[in-house]
Structure formats: C-alpha cells, structure tokens
Amino acid sequence: MTDPGVNLETAATSGEREPALLEAGARVGQYEVLSLLGSGGMGRVYRARDTTLGREVALKALARSFRADPSTLRRFEREARVLAALNHPGIATLHGFELFDGSPYLVLEFIPGETLRDRLERSPLPVPEAIAVGIQVADALEEAHRRGVVHRDLKPSNVMLTGAGRVKVLDFGLAKTLPRPAGEEAKGPPTDVTTASGAALGTAPYMSPEQVRGDEVDTQSDVWAFGCLLYEMISGRRAFGGGSLPEIAAAILRDEVDWSRLPAGTPPTVRRLMRRCLRRDCHARLRAIGDARMELEELVSAGGEAAAPPPGVRLRRRLLPWAISAASAALAAVALLKWRAAPRTADLRLSLELPSAVALSDDYPAPFAVSPDGSRIAVVGLEGGAQRLYVRALDELVARPLQATEGATQPFFSPDGRWLGFFADRWLRKVPVAGGASVAIAEIGGNPRGAVWVPGGTIVLSPSQTSGLQRVSDAGGTPTALTALDTAAEDVSHRWPDALPGRRWVLYTAASGDSTYDEARLEIVSLETGERRVLLANASYGRHLGNGVLAFVRGGRLLTVDLAADGLATRGEPQVLVEGLRYDPRNGAAHLAVSPSGTFVYSPAAAIPPERYVSWLDAKGGLSRLVDTPRQFGQLRLSPDGSRVALRIGGHAASDLWSLDLASGTLSRLSSGLSPQRPAWRPDGRGVTVAAHEAGRWRLLTLPVGEEGPPSVLLEGADPMYPGDWTPDGQALVLQALSPGGEWNLRLLEVDSAGRAKGPARPLATTPFQEANAAVSPDGALLAYESDELDGVFHIYVRALLEGAERIRVSLSPARRPRWGADQRLYYWSTSSSRFESVRLGWQKGHLVADDARPVLDPELGTSVARRLVVSAVDGFDLDRTGRFLVLETAADTNPQPLGRPVVVIRRR
C-alpha cells in the first residue's frame, strides 16, 4: 500500500532514490557538511557551514535517479528560480546554487526548529496558536501569489516552526508560476512550461479537487490546502483521510469534512473561514489567501479568543517589529501579559548577560531567582572555580557575590525579599541579600527538587527525586511531611513547589512512574488542612505569574492559563506565552523564575545543540583534540581494541551513530535516521548495540561495523530500555529498563552464538531505587553501576556480576558513569567535586573490598579542566588501556555563554 501522505509525483517514480551520502566534513564548494537533516523523494537535505561567511546553511541535493530526468531537473531549477524571486520573512531564503560531483545543490537558509508535522504528532495546537501559525502561513502565501507563484504542495511537513515564534514556508519544488496578463512586467520567475494539465502533482491529503482531477490549478489550490492545514492544526486530524491514495482522492471529491472534531471553543469566525476555504467549487471558494490572513488578524485584534497577537504574529495594522532572536519570544510574552492585566506603562525587556554563570545542563532547574518586587535577580555563578550566589539589581550593571554561599544551587527569595534560600552540601540554608553569614536551616540530603518560601515563616521543599513535599520553619528545625506519594495514582515524585500568593496553598508538580513530565499533573496542597487538589493535567513546573495567571511548561513551551476567582481551579484554554525555553521532560526541570509582581526570567532553548570536540585527556590535565571541527558530538564509547570511537552526532530528536577512526580521523556513518541512544560495543568490535524508539516501541539493536547488513534486533518492548555493557565473552548484555513503578533497574540478556536473545532479560539489580549505567569488569567477574538508594543521590556501587550477594559502595561522594581501567581500577565522575576519581577493587578473605581511592588529576589543574568537559549521566566518558580519558570538550568559541545563551527578563512596570 502506498503511503497516503506521500508526494504523488515522486511516488510514481521508480529506481534509485538516494544520492551518495555526504559524510560530516565533506565539502560542497565553500560549504562544509555537518550532518544530515532529512531525506525525501527528491533527495537529501544536509546541515552545513558556510566557511566563507561563517553561517549555517541547508544544502538540498537532488537524488541520483533524478539527474537524468530532464523534467525533474527543470523542477529543481524552478525551485531555485522561484525562491530567488521571493523575498519574505515567512519563506526560506535561497543563498545560492552549487554543482558538486555532477549533482545540483540548493544552498538554503538553515532554519532551526521543528516542522508543523512533528508538532502535530504530539497534540493539536491550541486555537490561539493555530491562528498565529495560520496568519504567518497566509502572509507568506500571499506574497508568493503576488509574485505569480502557486505553492501546490502546502502541508504540515513544509511548514517550519522556529524557536523564536516565527513560521517559515518551505519546499517550492512543485511550485507553479502563473501566466501574466499581456503587457504586464514580469516581476517573478518565468512562467512554468514544464508542467501541463492532466498531471496530478501534490501530496494527497492536501490536494484540491482540481489537483486530484488533473485540471489546471491556480492560487485557489493553495487556499484549499490552507483550509486543510488550519483544520488539522486545530482538530489534530486530517480533513480528508483514507488508507490509500484512491480512498483519499475519493474523500476529497465526495466527502464532507467532519466539523464535529473541532474543539467546542473554536471561534465561529475560524469555522466559517475553513468552510469557505474547503468548498469544492473553486469559484465559490475564498478568492484570495490574503482575505484569510485579514480575517484571522481581525479576530485577534477584535479581542475574541486572543485579544493580543500570539507569538510570532505580525499584524499589518500595527506592524509589530518581530526580531528573529531570543528577544522575539520575550516580545510575544509581553503582548500576552498586557492582554491579561490592567493597562500600565511600558514593560521593561532585557536580554541579560549573567556573570560567569555555572554551566548547568537542561536537567537542572533554573540557576536563577527573581525577587518578589521584580527588581533583582539572584544567580548561581563561579568565581575562581568556587560556585556561589550572586545578586544583580536590574538597574545596575554589576552582579554582587554573596559570601558564605559556596556550593549553592536552586536559589529562592523570602517573601519580603531580604533573604535568599538555597541548597548546599546536603543542607537547606539562607543568607541575607544585603550580605552576611549564611544560616543552616535543616539537613535534607544531596538531591533536592526545588523549594519555595511562603509567608508566615515556612519553607516548603522537595528533598529528593522520589519523595513527597516537606515543610520546615525558616528559623530552623526538622522537616515534616506535607504530602505523601499517592500509590493509587502511581506517584513517584512531588517536586518544584511554588506558592499561590494570598492563599495558604502550595503548587507543585506530581508525576507518575510510567510517564514523562509532559504528562505530569499540577496539584495544590493546603498548608492548613493538607487537602490536595489536581489543578491541571499534562503540565509541569507551575508558577504563579500574578493577576490570577498560572504559567506552566509543556513540551518545551511556556504556557499560561487563567485561574478561577478562588485560585483553586483553572478556567479557559491554555495559551502559548514563550516558544522554547530550557526544559527537560525527563524530570520537569525548567529554566524559569517568576515573581508575584509579574516579572519573569527564562533561558531560551538552544535552537541547535551545543557543539563539542572529541579529545584525549591525559593525567596532567592536557587536552588533545581528535577532530579539528566541533560538532554535536555525544554519547561516546571506545571500541574494545581502542582503534575507533562510536558516538552520536546530532540533537536528541535527530541524530545518528558514527564511527570515528582514531588513526585517520575519518568518520563513518553507522545509522541513518534512527536517533540511536547509549552505544555499547560488542566485545569482538564488529557491532555496536544501541537503543531506538520508533512508533511507540523500544528496541535494542546491534549495528554492524566494518561490514554491510541491516541492524539485528536483540529485544523489543513498550517500556524504555538502554544497553549498558556486554560481558567480555559476548554471551550476555547488561541493560537498564524502566520498571512499572518508574525505577530504572538492571537486567541481564543472554544471547546465543549468532547474537540472538535466548529469552527475556532476567532481573539482575532490581530495587525500589534507581540503578543505571552498568559497566562490566574486564575479567567479567564484577559489575559496577549507579544507584540513588542513599538519600536519593547517585553513588557508584560494585558487586559480583552473577552471584550478586555482596555489594559495596565505592564512591565517597556523589558520582556517575563508572568505567573500568587496567588492574581492576574503577574510574568515575564525581558530581560534587567535578573531577575524575578512581578506586581499586579486590578480594580479601572472600569479601569484596575497595581501596586506594584518589582523584585522577592534580587538584590545581582539575577545576580549570573540568569546566571545559562535558560529563553527564548520558554523555559520559571512556578511557583506553594506557589510562587516557576520552572526553567531550566544550567548544568555547561556539558556546560563549556557559548557560548556552543569555537569559531573557520581562519586567512589568
């Protein structure tokens, strides 16, 4: 059966599809290939760097099978001419045209973000957001039509949503140019003479009736496709469905759209617009796409469902100056805040460079806090290698360090703004904002998940990642329970608390064991009675913005929803406030801080993951780079013979596994479009086992190395699982799997001589705690792994691999990522001191013992080196037989801000 979403023209073309794959580092003229962005019927698109101008671009290559097809070559050339003639912020810019190895390449604007298709796979868009996207798509099409160009292939995968709230219309490969009236000056590309009537061109579910029939098409076909697009954004379903191309074509020509699938709150104006766009008779259809744009803009400006323009919308009446930068999201946020509150003087918008901010990854909460009056920001920073708190007033240029705050994390202000609370060295502490000694409040453990200081002298905190909330007096004392995990709801954590101003209720995030934090709940608990209520589903990191507005995070977006008059329930539909902020759905942490006055601070999400070098680290702290160009390297593993490195290139959503030959420095691709995770080499070095998540299923696959062939499937299931380490004989794989209770446990999968699983994986280390990142010793006798059984903080444990009767903790301080070296020494990364440490394992009188624990690097060199390394639970490190460490080194030239980018401050006056 043909994919009903496929392009009809390319579906009819047989033969070879793929051009010769360009590897990272290949050159096409002045452009250096960085990674593959995607593949389609007409070829591949690469992310590349313009080595002359220093900018990133997208290279669109024509498939080899089309090179000898004159009509396809003309179509490719037509896209170049069309794009060159179109100059609009909503249309991808054409930078140039290149010929390389006999193949044509378009050099296009590189647009970070996600396609509308990817966004709709998660959920339908809220109506205001759909209107925002619709206005921008219509605006781009209006410009194309004005230039005599019909897109003919408008669909969600050809609409890109950027992190700055902008929309870009892509792919004019099937564009048609209209004949111009006699005597009219040609302002666009020449008339298309290669495509005649009778050819059905387009993508099935979005084709107009005249396209399906093969009739001559004009701008009315784009109006029809726009109606399909708007319907799908709001309803989450295609307007015309079917299991095959004939079924879809029949539905387009015969069936009525199911308008009942639209949400009840869809404005009548939007419903009427869609009906007018989707009339089969093109003469009765909405005449111009500009009319659609005006109707949506009038709805916004009239104060219907959205009384201020949603993010990225450019209203022509008011000509808002949207900038393609992190500040555009801030402008959108300001517009929504103005809508939700009484009129006041102009808001203050800042893009703030914070001083020496600590490089915290996305799985940490914000390293900053905002004072209750919105006048100051506290931030975790570095000074001489020591981590401490800084305070900066928004009307000043200098941040002032607070003494006696070494090791501070997760700061929060007191209700009067005179004190700062923070966590450090297993204690909850406070320090005067004006300066002075810090005061210990309570010992709570080393893995807290947020705190809030509520009026009346109480601090509410989450002491660990697997606990309920606790409360303690700000004068000091022993914390007592405020909430207990609800076993009936399968709760695994209550975290990230915030206060509801003026009420004795605390807001927090509650998560279940079988979900991400995009599926968590926002709950509230009464400080007086202990009563709990669910406030909002599918939300995390809730914060009160003031004026009865609740902000929360979902899918990396900051959204808002109104609170009822009593503040104990929500009302209305959530709306997007900021597109893209730093957020990790694995634990709900967000880089966001707010004050009751309405001021909020956030760190925008990186449009492109950070770039790194692959480097050797020697015992003296020297770093030697193995590659000349930094890329989005991650999750490296050294081959058993030390000759190659398996590593990912790309972000979490789009990456592949590559093999780096250490002798030649060349990269070879091991996967394509798989987004593999956690590579583990087979002992013979002929394959790398990875985890892959596709179509709702998790699989463990072994990718062949040095030989052709498809991946072999080791294990498949519905729950997340990752490979850990193979036993030296290759007869078993230690893996980690998510249990029904939400804990990561270790299991052993035995395989036969052909590498096939003998049966299901059997329990190896299964407790109510988290066990992860297994490493098997070179002799196959011992197993090292992480566990958070001690106060919810990860330490390194070692046990006999198979018997498992005896185990010992070998790390004295919190640590991650164990790796075995020579002579039974175990190495790991100390998360508390940010350095490599090692310990020797052995047996005495039948008992497992650890001795000779020591840091690996000279302490004087360790701090400066550690700040350049990227070591996390996922990315880790490796080491060879000589004791050199294989690490990821931060590319300081491409990541000048340790936070990844400046923070954005919105202060209401």
Side-chain angles (χ1 to χ4, degrees), residues 354-362 364-368 379-383 385-390 405-410 582 591 603 831 834 867 897-901 903:
L354 296 179
S356 304
V358 169
L360 297 181
S361 62
D362 289 346
Y364 280 79
F368 42 75
V379 62
V380 179
L382 288 174
E383 182 181 44
Q387 182 174 312
R388 58 169 50 91
L389 293 179
Y390 289 74
T405 60
E406 287 75 13
T409 65
Q410 303 180 40
R582 293 190 73 165
H591 279 209
S603 181
T831 56
S834 297
R867 291 180 62 183
Q897 288 296 317
L899 276 174
R901 59 211 67 88
V903 299

mmCIF file of all heavy atoms in Angstrom, residues 354-362 364-368 379-383 385-390 405-410 582 591 603 831 834 867 897-901 903:
data_model
loop_
_atom_site.group_PDB
_atom_site.id
_atom_site.type_symbol
_atom_site.label_atom_id
_atom_site.label_comp_id
_atom_site.label_asym_id
_atom_site.label_seq_id
_atom_site.Cartn_x
_atom_site.Cartn_y
_atom_site.Cartn_z
ATOM 1 N N LEU A 354 24.511 37.143 32.245
ATOM 2 C CA LEU A 354 24.772 36.908 33.658
ATOM 3 C C LEU A 354 26.250 36.587 33.876
ATOM 4 O O LEU A 354 26.901 35.972 33.028
ATOM 5 C CB LEU A 354 23.901 35.769 34.173
ATOM 6 C CG LEU A 354 22.407 36.069 34.138
ATOM 7 C CD1 LEU A 354 21.616 34.878 34.629
ATOM 8 C CD2 LEU A 354 22.073 37.292 34.969
ATOM 9 N N PRO A 355 26.800 36.962 34.995
ATOM 10 C CA PRO A 355 28.247 36.843 35.211
ATOM 11 C C PRO A 355 28.681 35.418 35.508
ATOM 12 O O PRO A 355 28.244 34.817 36.489
ATOM 13 C CB PRO A 355 28.488 37.741 36.430
ATOM 14 C CG PRO A 355 27.198 37.669 37.188
ATOM 15 C CD PRO A 355 26.115 37.561 36.147
ATOM 16 N N SER A 356 29.527 34.874 34.660
ATOM 17 C CA SER A 356 30.168 33.580 34.930
ATOM 18 C C SER A 356 29.188 32.549 35.440
ATOM 19 O O SER A 356 29.435 31.850 36.413
ATOM 20 C CB SER A 356 31.304 33.760 35.956
ATOM 21 O OG SER A 356 32.217 34.719 35.514
ATOM 22 N N ALA A 357 28.032 32.455 34.792
ATOM 23 C CA ALA A 357 27.009 31.537 35.285
ATOM 24 C C ALA A 357 27.479 30.096 35.186
ATOM 25 O O ALA A 357 28.177 29.708 34.263
ATOM 26 C CB ALA A 357 25.721 31.722 34.483
ATOM 27 N N VAL A 358 27.110 29.315 36.158
ATOM 28 C CA VAL A 358 27.510 27.915 36.188
ATOM 29 C C VAL A 358 26.878 27.181 35.011
ATOM 30 O O VAL A 358 25.723 27.396 34.679
ATOM 31 C CB VAL A 358 27.073 27.263 37.515
ATOM 32 C CG1 VAL A 358 27.231 25.755 37.455
ATOM 33 C CG2 VAL A 358 27.890 27.825 38.651
ATOM 34 N N ALA A 359 27.649 26.317 34.372
ATOM 35 C CA ALA A 359 27.142 25.576 33.214
ATOM 36 C C ALA A 359 26.305 24.409 33.706
ATOM 37 O O ALA A 359 26.803 23.326 33.956
ATOM 38 C CB ALA A 359 28.301 25.074 32.362
ATOM 39 N N LEU A 360 25.020 24.657 33.889
ATOM 40 C CA LEU A 360 24.100 23.601 34.292
ATOM 41 C C LEU A 360 23.391 23.067 33.071
ATOM 42 O O LEU A 360 22.984 23.813 32.204
ATOM 43 C CB LEU A 360 23.069 24.141 35.290
ATOM 44 C CG LEU A 360 23.630 24.639 36.619
ATOM 45 C CD1 LEU A 360 22.507 25.116 37.505
ATOM 46 C CD2 LEU A 360 24.392 23.525 37.324
ATOM 47 N N SER A 361 23.210 21.751 33.001
ATOM 48 C CA SER A 361 22.527 21.159 31.865
ATOM 49 C C SER A 361 21.028 21.325 32.009
ATOM 50 O O SER A 361 20.524 21.773 33.032
ATOM 51 C CB SER A 361 22.887 19.671 31.754
ATOM 52 O OG SER A 361 22.462 18.981 32.911
ATOM 53 N N ASP A 362 20.291 20.928 30.946
ATOM 54 C CA ASP A 362 18.851 21.147 30.933
ATOM 55 C C ASP A 362 18.118 20.361 32.008
ATOM 56 O O ASP A 362 16.964 20.643 32.298
ATOM 57 C CB ASP A 362 18.281 20.767 29.566
ATOM 58 C CG ASP A 362 18.679 21.769 28.496
ATOM 59 O OD1 ASP A 362 19.152 22.857 28.873
ATOM 60 O OD2 ASP A 362 18.514 21.460 27.310
ATOM 61 N N TYR A 364 18.586 20.368 35.073
ATOM 62 C CA TYR A 364 18.561 21.105 36.323
ATOM 63 C C TYR A 364 17.523 22.215 36.220
ATOM 64 O O TYR A 364 17.256 22.721 35.130
ATOM 65 C CB TYR A 364 19.926 21.724 36.622
ATOM 66 C CG TYR A 364 20.928 20.758 37.202
ATOM 67 C CD1 TYR A 364 21.603 19.855 36.398
ATOM 68 C CD2 TYR A 364 21.188 20.745 38.568
ATOM 69 C CE1 TYR A 364 22.519 18.967 36.926
ATOM 70 C CE2 TYR A 364 22.106 19.866 39.106
ATOM 71 C CZ TYR A 364 22.769 18.976 38.281
ATOM 72 O OH TYR A 364 23.671 18.093 38.817
ATOM 73 N N PRO A 365 16.965 22.653 37.350
ATOM 74 C CA PRO A 365 16.072 23.808 37.303
ATOM 75 C C PRO A 365 16.872 25.083 37.110
ATOM 76 O O PRO A 365 18.102 25.062 37.034
ATOM 77 C CB PRO A 365 15.383 23.774 38.670
ATOM 78 C CG PRO A 365 16.398 23.138 39.568
ATOM 79 C CD PRO A 365 17.098 22.109 38.721
ATOM 80 N N ALA A 366 16.173 26.195 37.073
ATOM 81 C CA ALA A 366 16.813 27.477 36.803
ATOM 82 C C ALA A 366 17.886 27.781 37.847
ATOM 83 O O ALA A 366 17.639 27.668 39.044
ATOM 84 C CB ALA A 366 15.771 28.583 36.804
ATOM 85 N N PRO A 367 19.082 28.200 37.409
ATOM 86 C CA PRO A 367 20.110 28.623 38.361
ATOM 87 C C PRO A 367 19.931 30.081 38.739
ATOM 88 O O PRO A 367 20.895 30.762 39.084
ATOM 89 C CB PRO A 367 21.403 28.412 37.570
ATOM 90 C CG PRO A 367 21.015 28.657 36.159
ATOM 91 C CD PRO A 367 19.587 28.184 36.025
ATOM 92 N N PHE A 368 18.698 30.592 38.641
ATOM 93 C CA PHE A 368 18.440 31.980 38.993
ATOM 94 C C PHE A 368 17.076 32.093 39.656
ATOM 95 O O PHE A 368 16.237 31.189 39.586
ATOM 96 C CB PHE A 368 18.512 32.897 37.765
ATOM 97 C CG PHE A 368 17.855 32.340 36.530
ATOM 98 C CD1 PHE A 368 16.479 32.308 36.390
ATOM 99 C CD2 PHE A 368 18.627 31.844 35.497
ATOM 100 C CE1 PHE A 368 15.881 31.792 35.256
ATOM 101 C CE2 PHE A 368 18.034 31.328 34.352
ATOM 102 C CZ PHE A 368 16.659 31.303 34.228
ATOM 103 N N VAL A 379 21.584 34.624 41.043
ATOM 104 C CA VAL A 379 22.044 33.619 40.091
ATOM 105 C C VAL A 379 23.204 32.843 40.689
ATOM 106 O O VAL A 379 23.996 33.386 41.471
ATOM 107 C CB VAL A 379 22.464 34.274 38.756
ATOM 108 C CG1 VAL A 379 23.627 35.222 38.958
ATOM 109 C CG2 VAL A 379 22.812 33.225 37.711
ATOM 110 N N VAL A 380 23.293 31.564 40.350
ATOM 111 C CA VAL A 380 24.430 30.746 40.732
ATOM 112 C C VAL A 380 25.568 31.054 39.774
ATOM 113 O O VAL A 380 25.384 31.014 38.551
ATOM 114 C CB VAL A 380 24.080 29.250 40.685
ATOM 115 C CG1 VAL A 380 25.288 28.416 41.066
ATOM 116 C CG2 VAL A 380 22.904 28.945 41.604
ATOM 117 N N GLY A 381 26.738 31.401 40.299
ATOM 118 C CA GLY A 381 27.866 31.760 39.444
ATOM 119 C C GLY A 381 29.160 31.161 39.933
ATOM 120 O O GLY A 381 29.210 30.485 40.971
ATOM 121 N N LEU A 382 30.216 31.396 39.166
ATOM 122 C CA LEU A 382 31.538 30.886 39.500
ATOM 123 C C LEU A 382 32.502 32.031 39.737
ATOM 124 O O LEU A 382 32.464 33.046 39.038
ATOM 125 C CB LEU A 382 32.079 30.014 38.361
ATOM 126 C CG LEU A 382 31.440 28.647 38.166
ATOM 127 C CD1 LEU A 382 31.995 28.005 36.905
ATOM 128 C CD2 LEU A 382 31.685 27.751 39.359
ATOM 129 N N GLU A 383 33.374 31.851 40.706
ATOM 130 C CA GLU A 383 34.432 32.828 40.977
ATOM 131 C C GLU A 383 35.650 32.058 41.447
ATOM 132 O O GLU A 383 35.624 31.425 42.508
ATOM 133 C CB GLU A 383 33.999 33.839 42.038
ATOM 134 C CG GLU A 383 35.061 34.907 42.316
ATOM 135 C CD GLU A 383 34.589 35.880 43.394
ATOM 136 O OE1 GLU A 383 34.034 35.423 44.406
ATOM 137 O OE2 GLU A 383 34.793 37.083 43.212
ATOM 138 N N GLY A 385 36.709 29.328 40.388
ATOM 139 C CA GLY A 385 36.387 27.909 40.476
ATOM 140 C C GLY A 385 35.400 27.567 41.567
ATOM 141 O O GLY A 385 34.950 26.428 41.658
ATOM 142 N N ALA A 386 35.047 28.531 42.432
ATOM 143 C CA ALA A 386 34.090 28.270 43.511
ATOM 144 C C ALA A 386 32.685 28.687 43.070
ATOM 145 O O ALA A 386 32.489 29.757 42.506
ATOM 146 C CB ALA A 386 34.486 29.040 44.761
ATOM 147 N N GLN A 387 31.740 27.842 43.348
ATOM 148 C CA GLN A 387 30.351 28.100 42.990
ATOM 149 C C GLN A 387 29.654 28.813 44.139
ATOM 150 O O GLN A 387 29.676 28.359 45.275
ATOM 151 C CB GLN A 387 29.667 26.766 42.694
ATOM 152 C CG GLN A 387 28.225 26.863 42.269
ATOM 153 C CD GLN A 387 27.686 25.509 41.854
ATOM 154 O OE1 GLN A 387 28.313 24.789 41.090
ATOM 155 N NE2 GLN A 387 26.529 25.159 42.382
ATOM 156 N N ARG A 388 29.017 29.971 43.842
ATOM 157 C CA ARG A 388 28.322 30.715 44.886
ATOM 158 C C ARG A 388 27.207 31.542 44.269
ATOM 159 O O ARG A 388 27.015 31.543 43.050
ATOM 160 C CB ARG A 388 29.295 31.623 45.642
ATOM 161 C CG ARG A 388 30.038 32.637 44.779
ATOM 162 C CD ARG A 388 30.767 33.666 45.652
ATOM 163 N NE ARG A 388 31.578 33.058 46.679
ATOM 164 C CZ ARG A 388 32.857 32.735 46.542
ATOM 165 N NH1 ARG A 388 33.469 32.968 45.387
ATOM 166 N NH2 ARG A 388 33.529 32.189 47.513
ATOM 167 N N LEU A 389 26.483 32.261 45.117
ATOM 168 C CA LEU A 389 25.367 33.080 44.669
ATOM 169 C C LEU A 389 25.820 34.508 44.374
ATOM 170 O O LEU A 389 26.694 35.054 45.051
ATOM 171 C CB LEU A 389 24.266 33.120 45.735
ATOM 172 C CG LEU A 389 23.522 31.817 46.009
ATOM 173 C CD1 LEU A 389 22.482 32.025 47.098
ATOM 174 C CD2 LEU A 389 22.869 31.287 44.742
ATOM 175 N N TYR A 390 25.194 35.093 43.353
ATOM 176 C CA TYR A 390 25.371 36.494 43.011
ATOM 177 C C TYR A 390 23.996 37.151 43.005
ATOM 178 O O TYR A 390 22.982 36.499 42.734
ATOM 179 C CB TYR A 390 25.983 36.662 41.609
ATOM 180 C CG TYR A 390 27.438 36.276 41.503
ATOM 181 C CD1 TYR A 390 27.826 34.944 41.517
ATOM 182 C CD2 TYR A 390 28.417 37.251 41.372
ATOM 183 C CE1 TYR A 390 29.163 34.588 41.408
ATOM 184 C CE2 TYR A 390 29.759 36.907 41.257
ATOM 185 C CZ TYR A 390 30.119 35.571 41.282
ATOM 186 O OH TYR A 390 31.437 35.226 41.172
ATOM 187 N N THR A 405 28.269 31.312 50.534
ATOM 188 C CA THR A 405 27.262 30.569 49.769
ATOM 189 C C THR A 405 27.931 29.553 48.851
ATOM 190 O O THR A 405 27.384 29.207 47.802
ATOM 191 C CB THR A 405 26.388 31.525 48.939
ATOM 192 O OG1 THR A 405 27.218 32.263 48.021
ATOM 193 C CG2 THR A 405 25.618 32.479 49.816
ATOM 194 N N GLU A 406 29.112 29.068 49.202
ATOM 195 C CA GLU A 406 29.823 28.118 48.355
ATOM 196 C C GLU A 406 28.988 26.860 48.133
ATOM 197 O O GLU A 406 28.373 26.330 49.056
ATOM 198 C CB GLU A 406 31.167 27.738 48.986
ATOM 199 C CG GLU A 406 32.214 28.836 48.921
ATOM 200 C CD GLU A 406 31.970 29.963 49.916
ATOM 201 O OE1 GLU A 406 31.133 29.769 50.822
ATOM 202 O OE2 GLU A 406 32.601 31.033 49.791
ATOM 203 N N GLY A 407 29.002 26.394 46.886
ATOM 204 C CA GLY A 407 28.260 25.180 46.534
ATOM 205 C C GLY A 407 26.772 25.383 46.387
ATOM 206 O O GLY A 407 26.025 24.395 46.290
ATOM 207 N N ALA A 408 26.301 26.618 46.343
ATOM 208 C CA ALA A 408 24.868 26.883 46.325
ATOM 209 C C ALA A 408 24.210 26.426 45.024
ATOM 210 O O ALA A 408 24.797 26.515 43.944
ATOM 211 C CB ALA A 408 24.610 28.376 46.527
ATOM 212 N N THR A 409 22.987 25.933 45.137
ATOM 213 C CA THR A 409 22.147 25.597 43.983
ATOM 214 C C THR A 409 20.713 25.994 44.295
ATOM 215 O O THR A 409 20.336 26.199 45.455
ATOM 216 C CB THR A 409 22.181 24.094 43.653
ATOM 217 O OG1 THR A 409 21.600 23.357 44.735
ATOM 218 C CG2 THR A 409 23.585 23.600 43.401
ATOM 219 N N GLN A 410 19.894 26.123 43.249
ATOM 220 C CA GLN A 410 18.447 26.324 43.337
ATOM 221 C C GLN A 410 18.056 27.449 44.309
ATOM 222 O O GLN A 410 17.356 27.231 45.291
ATOM 223 C CB GLN A 410 17.763 25.013 43.747
ATOM 224 C CG GLN A 410 18.071 23.862 42.814
ATOM 225 C CD GLN A 410 17.407 22.562 43.212
ATOM 226 O OE1 GLN A 410 16.250 22.556 43.631
ATOM 227 N NE2 GLN A 410 18.128 21.463 43.095
ATOM 228 N N ARG A 582 14.501 26.419 28.134
ATOM 229 C CA ARG A 582 15.245 25.235 28.560
ATOM 230 C C ARG A 582 14.388 24.410 29.495
ATOM 231 O O ARG A 582 13.910 24.886 30.518
ATOM 232 C CB ARG A 582 16.556 25.642 29.245
ATOM 233 C CG ARG A 582 17.541 26.290 28.293
ATOM 234 C CD ARG A 582 18.904 26.471 28.925
ATOM 235 N NE ARG A 582 19.603 25.194 29.049
ATOM 236 C CZ ARG A 582 20.910 25.106 29.292
ATOM 237 N NH1 ARG A 582 21.626 26.191 29.436
ATOM 238 N NH2 ARG A 582 21.480 23.931 29.394
ATOM 239 N N HIS A 591 14.225 26.212 33.061
ATOM 240 C CA HIS A 591 14.989 27.412 33.382
ATOM 241 C C HIS A 591 14.035 28.602 33.358
ATOM 242 O O HIS A 591 13.978 29.367 32.396
ATOM 243 C CB HIS A 591 16.134 27.588 32.396
ATOM 244 C CG HIS A 591 17.319 26.743 32.726
ATOM 245 N ND1 HIS A 591 18.607 27.097 32.406
ATOM 246 C CD2 HIS A 591 17.433 25.569 33.374
ATOM 247 C CE1 HIS A 591 19.448 26.186 32.837
ATOM 248 N NE2 HIS A 591 18.758 25.234 33.423
ATOM 249 N N SER A 603 15.519 31.160 30.343
ATOM 250 C CA SER A 603 16.635 30.931 29.441
ATOM 251 C C SER A 603 16.089 30.245 28.203
ATOM 252 O O SER A 603 15.540 29.148 28.302
ATOM 253 C CB SER A 603 17.687 30.052 30.124
ATOM 254 O OG SER A 603 18.785 29.835 29.278
ATOM 255 N N THR A 831 30.363 14.035 40.891
ATOM 256 C CA THR A 831 29.485 15.164 40.573
ATOM 257 C C THR A 831 29.578 16.278 41.596
ATOM 258 O O THR A 831 29.234 17.425 41.304
ATOM 259 C CB THR A 831 28.032 14.685 40.474
ATOM 260 O OG1 THR A 831 27.658 14.030 41.696
ATOM 261 C CG2 THR A 831 27.867 13.710 39.326
ATOM 262 N N SER A 834 33.307 17.701 40.644
ATOM 263 C CA SER A 834 33.547 17.880 39.210
ATOM 264 C C SER A 834 34.954 17.442 38.823
ATOM 265 O O SER A 834 35.744 18.204 38.259
ATOM 266 C CB SER A 834 33.309 19.348 38.797
ATOM 267 O OG SER A 834 31.971 19.703 39.001
ATOM 268 N N ARG A 867 35.872 22.484 33.850
ATOM 269 C CA ARG A 867 34.918 23.441 33.304
ATOM 270 C C ARG A 867 34.822 23.339 31.793
ATOM 271 O O ARG A 867 33.872 23.851 31.197
ATOM 272 C CB ARG A 867 35.305 24.856 33.719
ATOM 273 C CG ARG A 867 35.134 25.124 35.203
ATOM 274 C CD ARG A 867 35.541 26.536 35.565
ATOM 275 N NE ARG A 867 34.717 27.529 34.888
ATOM 276 C CZ ARG A 867 34.921 28.842 35.000
ATOM 277 N NH1 ARG A 867 35.914 29.290 35.750
ATOM 278 N NH2 ARG A 867 34.143 29.688 34.372
ATOM 279 N N GLN A 897 28.483 31.440 26.092
ATOM 280 C CA GLN A 897 27.758 31.561 27.353
ATOM 281 C C GLN A 897 27.657 30.204 28.024
ATOM 282 O O GLN A 897 27.136 29.262 27.442
ATOM 283 C CB GLN A 897 26.346 32.108 27.103
ATOM 284 C CG GLN A 897 26.328 33.582 26.734
ATOM 285 C CD GLN A 897 26.844 34.439 27.874
ATOM 286 O OE1 GLN A 897 26.511 34.225 29.025
ATOM 287 N NE2 GLN A 897 27.653 35.414 27.552
ATOM 288 N N PRO A 898 28.168 30.038 29.251
ATOM 289 C CA PRO A 898 28.047 28.748 29.916
ATOM 290 C C PRO A 898 26.607 28.282 30.045
ATOM 291 O O PRO A 898 26.348 27.103 30.078
ATOM 292 C CB PRO A 898 28.676 29.006 31.305
ATOM 293 C CG PRO A 898 29.604 30.156 31.087
ATOM 294 C CD PRO A 898 28.931 31.005 30.055
ATOM 295 N N LEU A 899 25.661 29.205 30.143
ATOM 296 C CA LEU A 899 24.259 28.801 30.179
ATOM 297 C C LEU A 899 23.744 28.459 28.795
ATOM 298 O O LEU A 899 22.614 28.051 28.655
ATOM 299 C CB LEU A 899 23.400 29.933 30.756
ATOM 300 C CG LEU A 899 23.301 30.010 32.271
ATOM 301 C CD1 LEU A 899 22.539 31.258 32.666
ATOM 302 C CD2 LEU A 899 22.646 28.787 32.850
ATOM 303 N N GLY A 900 24.558 28.617 27.787
ATOM 304 C CA GLY A 900 24.139 28.334 26.435
ATOM 305 C C GLY A 900 23.669 29.583 25.719
ATOM 306 O O GLY A 900 23.706 29.670 24.518
ATOM 307 N N ARG A 901 23.186 30.600 26.464
ATOM 308 C CA ARG A 901 22.701 31.839 25.862
ATOM 309 C C ARG A 901 22.307 32.786 26.993
ATOM 310 O O ARG A 901 22.124 32.348 28.126
ATOM 311 C CB ARG A 901 21.479 31.560 24.984
ATOM 312 C CG ARG A 901 20.335 30.935 25.756
ATOM 313 C CD ARG A 901 19.543 30.025 24.878
ATOM 314 N NE ARG A 901 20.346 28.882 24.515
ATOM 315 C CZ ARG A 901 20.402 27.785 25.264
ATOM 316 N NH1 ARG A 901 19.758 27.724 26.395
ATOM 317 N NH2 ARG A 901 21.125 26.777 24.892
ATOM 318 N N VAL A 903 19.974 35.071 29.443
ATOM 319 C CA VAL A 903 18.592 34.910 29.884
ATOM 320 C C VAL A 903 17.783 36.110 29.426
ATOM 321 O O VAL A 903 18.319 37.189 29.161
ATOM 322 C CB VAL A 903 18.496 34.765 31.419
ATOM 323 C CG1 VAL A 903 19.263 33.550 31.884
ATOM 324 C CG2 VAL A 903 18.985 36.015 32.119
#
